[in-house]
Amino acid sequence: MVQDQIVSRDISDRRVIDAMLKIPRHIFVQEAFAAQAYNDKSLPIGEKQTISQPYIVALMTEKLALTGTEKVLEIGTGSGYQTALLATLADRVYSAERIRPLALRARKCLDSLKLFNVQLRINDSEGSPIGWEEEAPFDAIIVTAGAPAIPEVLTDQLALGGRLVIPVGTDSNQQLLTITRNSDGELQYDSSVECRFVPLIGKQGWQA
Ligand code: SAM
């Protein structure tokens, strides 16, 4: 998977490559899909949600430019696979998921890998804002669901020099954006690939 899908597509951050070699992806998918866990595609994880294609996971992670010291926020824990990579590559991870059974399963997977630097939060109440205000600012924020626009509540939680990676577009097709808060506090925007994520649900997203 790593050589054929990640390195061959120009992911060059050695730490991201090593983390992907280290974290077993099959434990994060349902048993019925375990044989497909290393294939070049997203897979269902139950509750009408998906674990993202390995290449997109690698690309988003690389764009966060983690060095090991960062405090990271993830919106959309899902299976916990992306969370496990973040926990391997950063100092502390805060991850929010709106579907309780997914969050509980992700917790078990993360514990089985002894990744204890992750705090999970279940955001299942109607109208709860995304983000994690009490723990802000974050050096890196990743949103793993498609948003209709860049949520200001998230750019407000970016530290100086921090990066937000988020798919933005319609509920079926998005552009992967990286927003950086520079040392003067200004936001800089960069757009990369087209992608297709399940929708971000809630106040800053789409209706359930
Ligand atoms: N990163 C995940 C992985 O590695 O398995 C994939 C995440 S999946 C594509 C998107 C997740 O975002 C879903 O589990 C969905 O329930 C969650 N989600 C959608 N809207 C959310 C919100 N407002 N807050 C938290 N999680 C949300």
Side-chain angles (χ1 to χ4, degrees):
M1 174 187 92
V2 174
Q3 188 54 46
D4 293 353
Q5 301 168 36
I6 310 297
V7 178
S8 71
R9 288 180 178 136
D10 290 340
I11 300 294
S12 60
D13 183 332
R14 193 63 239 179
R15 297 184 74 245
V16 173
I17 293 167
D18 287 345
M20 293 195 78
L21 287 167
K22 184 173 160 194
I23 300 297
R25 188 170 153 93
H26 64 273
I27 71 165
F28 292 92
V29 305
Q30 293 173 321
E31 237 174 274
F33 292 101
Q36 299 176 49
Y38 298 92
N39 290 0
D40 191 14
K41 59 179 185 181
S42 61
L43 289 171
I45 53 171
E47 311 285 342
K48 299 189 187 146
Q49 304 303 320
T50 54
I51 178 173
S52 306
Q53 181 194 15
Y55 169 65
I56 290 291
V57 173
L59 182 64
M60 292 176 84
T61 310
E62 184 169 71
K63 288 192 175 297
L64 294 174
L66 301 172
T67 64
T69 58
E70 294 83 2
K71 184 174 180 183
V72 180
L73 171 66
E74 177 186 40
I75 306 296
T77 316
S79 69
Y81 176 65
Q82 171 80 74
T83 322
L85 292 170
L86 299 173
T88 307
L89 291 165
D91 181 37
R92 275 168 297 161
V93 180
Y94 297 80
S95 183
E97 170 54 54
R98 61 177 285 276
I99 301 178
R100 184 171 294 266
L102 293 182
L104 298 180
R105 189 177 185 283
R107 173 87 276 165
K108 280 192 188 155
C109 293
L110 295 165
D111 287 351
S112 76
L113 295 175
K114 299 190 170 25
L115 293 170
F116 299 128
N117 58 341
V118 178
Q119 281 202 47
L120 292 187
R121 177 150 92 177
I122 300 168
N123 256 358
D124 57 358
S125 60
E126 190 70 18
S128 53
I130 58 170
W132 203 313
E133 209 178 349
E134 316 85 89
E135 292 295 342
F138 296 95
D139 305 301
I141 302 178
I142 179 169
V143 181
T144 64
I150 302 167
E152 205 177 324
V153 65
L154 291 184
T155 51
D156 285 350
Q157 292 180 21
L158 267 184
L160 290 182
R163 292 160 298 282
L164 162 66
V165 175
I166 180 170
V168 175
T170 68
D171 58 354
S172 60
N173 191 271
Q174 305 94 28
Q175 203 72 34
L176 190 62
L177 303 185
T178 305
I179 298 106
T180 307
R181 181 177 291 287
N182 71 18
S183 51
D184 297 326
E186 288 159 5
L187 297 176
Q188 292 168 335
Y189 301 84
D190 181 55
S191 169
S192 55
V193 299
E194 240 180 61
C195 48
R196 191 181 177 148
F197 276 82
V198 294
L200 180 75
I201 302 297
K203 244 180 170 176
Q204 286 81 17
W206 307 90
Q207 273 197 326

